[in-house]
């Protein structure tokens, strides 16, 4: 756990450009209170709203929220249905706020497989916020990192891109994140220490912040702690610490 680490301030720049979050622990939050898991998802939606707003205020330009993995289809039907109902309520209720905050919505994942009502609500908000430029909010929905990589490989193959033309840049251009930077910081709540098929290609040099806090209890203050922790780190990208100091 790094929430207790003493961050030493070093000159590594300010706020991360791209923050990606694995919003985990809704179910445990609810059951520890004697509530149905669904109540945890409801509370988690409130946290997501607050975190979106705070990220935008802090100057994060790209925020990616792991909202529903491809593997999450294996959950009980009523839980899956509730998650998509909450998504539709969120989208309908937040459209005005997103526009006011100049936030563009995008989806990472295959939208054709989503429930019709959710797809319609997503398409409406994506279209209406397409011109917003202050922050991009990416919802990873029906998302699988491995499937995203395969999808990119299929697209490159269909375009006949092969041999030396198949560069990292060409590959990245076929991912959902095309045109956006890799996540600088990946946050996972609820004490689980794994990626769960999240942004596998893009996480190559991401910094990680793990916290025991369950997602419904993760507020703007802990977000700021995570960002402060990130700011105290030295990202080396393979170089030595001495080289980096000489560069600055
Ligand atoms: C995260 O919370 C939300 C989704 C995966 C949709 P969980 O529902 O996974 O909560 P836990 O891990 O069971 O506590
Ligand atoms: C990851 O959480 C997916 C989301 C947060 C949407 P899970 O709760 O599904 O992950 P595992 O199954 O514990 O790895
Ligand atoms: Mg979970």
């Amino acid at each position: 756990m790094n929430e207790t680490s003493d961050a030493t301030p070093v000159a590594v720049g300010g706020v991360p450009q791209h923050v990606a979050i694995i919003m985990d622990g809704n179910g445990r939050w609810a059951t520890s209170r004697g509530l149905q898991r669904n109540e945890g998802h409801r509370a988690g939606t409130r946290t997501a709203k607050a975190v979106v707003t705070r990220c935008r205020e802090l100057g994060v330009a790209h925020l990616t929220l792991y909202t529903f993995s491809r593997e999450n289809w294996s959950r009980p039907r009523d839980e899956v249905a509730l998650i998509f109902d909450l998504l539709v309520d969120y989208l309908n209720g937040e459209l005005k706020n997103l526009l006011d905050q100049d936030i563009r919505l995008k989806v990472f994942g295959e939208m054709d497989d989503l429930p019709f009502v959710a797809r319609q609500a997503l398409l409406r908000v994506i279209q209406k916020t397409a011109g917003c430029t202050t922050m991009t909010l990416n919802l990873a929905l029906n998302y699988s990192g491995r499937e995203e990589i395969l999808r990119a490989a299929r697209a490159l193959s269909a375009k006949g891109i092969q041999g030396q033309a198949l560069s990292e840049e060409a590959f990245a251009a076929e991912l959902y994140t095309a045109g956006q930077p890799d996540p600088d910081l990946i946050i996972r709540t609820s004490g689980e220490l794994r990626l769960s098929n999240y942004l596998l290609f893009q996480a190559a040099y991401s910094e990680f912040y793990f916290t025991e806090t369950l997602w419904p209890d993760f507020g703007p203050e802990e977000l700021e702690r995570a960002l402060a922790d990130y700011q105290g780190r030295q990202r080396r990208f393979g170089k030595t610490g001495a080289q980096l100091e000489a560069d600055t």
Side-chain angles (χ1 to χ4, degrees):
M1 295 296 118
N2 39 28
E3 72 225 75
T4 51
S5 74
D6 253 337
T8 327
V10 285
V12 287
V15 171
Q17 265 196 290
H18 186 171
V19 175
I21 308 184
I22 304 174
M23 310 184 289
D24 200 9
N26 291 348
R28 277 163 284 168
W29 182 90
T31 47
S32 71
R33 284 168 172 72
L35 301 170
Q36 298 289 319
R37 290 178 57 85
N38 285 351
E39 293 309 314
H41 295 309
R42 215 179 289 284
T45 308
R46 289 196 287 274
T47 301
K49 268 188 220 172
V51 165
V52 168
T53 300
R54 195 72 192 114
C55 277
R56 174 184 164 306
E57 286 169 355
L58 291 167
V60 172
H62 307 263
L63 173 65
T64 303
L65 299 179
Y66 207 175
T67 308
F68 193 83
S69 72
R70 203 180 53 161
E71 290 75 23
N72 287 146
W73 292 112
S74 59
R75 293 191 177 202
R77 268 169 75 126
D78 69 327
E79 180 169 341
V80 172
L82 186 276
I83 289 170
F84 284 104
D85 285 352
L86 287 171
L87 174 69
V88 171
D89 289 349
Y90 170 82
L91 293 165
N92 293 337
E94 281 302 285
L95 175 58
K96 187 176 177 304
N97 274 341
L98 293 175
L99 288 169
D100 288 349
Q101 296 177 81
D102 198 34
I103 298 174
R104 171 176 72 149
L105 185 83
K106 289 204 148 217
V107 168
F108 291 174
E110 189 47 71
M111 279 212 282
D112 288 347
D113 298 334
L114 299 181
F116 178 78
V117 182
R119 194 164 71 239
Q120 292 304 108
L122 285 163
L123 288 170
R124 174 166 168 263
V125 178
I126 289 169
Q127 189 227 324
K128 296 226 185 257
T129 62
C132 297
T133 54
T134 301
M135 184 172 92
T136 300
L137 170 62
N138 306 299
L139 298 183
L141 272 169
N142 184 27
Y143 178 81
S144 150
R146 283 190 173 174
E147 181 56 35
E148 180 187 31
I149 289 169
L150 286 172
R151 182 178 170 273
R154 285 186 209 111
L156 291 163
S157 152
K159 290 179 182 171
I161 298 175
Q162 53 182 319
Q164 287 308 311
L166 212 172
S167 60
E168 271 192 35
E169 290 71 28
F171 202 94
E174 300 296 341
L175 297 171
Y176 291 118
T177 38
Q180 300 190 53
D182 286 342
D184 300 293
L185 175 65
I186 296 181
I187 298 172
R188 183 167 191 151
T189 57
S190 88
E192 306 300 342
L193 306 178
R194 55 179 172 265
L195 268 178
S196 300
N197 210 1
Y198 197 39
L199 301 172
L200 298 182
F201 187 93
Q202 299 89 337
Y205 265 103
S206 301
E207 296 291 327
F208 289 87
Y209 180 90
F210 294 107
T211 171
E212 293 284 343
T213 306
L214 303 172
W215 177 248
D217 292 329
F218 185 91
E221 304 75 38
E222 189 159 8
L223 173 74
E224 283 166 44
R225 275 208 293 285
L227 264 51
D229 191 276
Y230 166 86
Q231 286 177 343
R233 301 193 194 173
Q234 187 182 55
R235 301 181 76 187
R236 292 193 179 160
F237 301 103
K239 296 186 179 180
T240 68
Q243 279 178 302
L244 287 168
E245 267 146 46
D247 287 350
T248 54

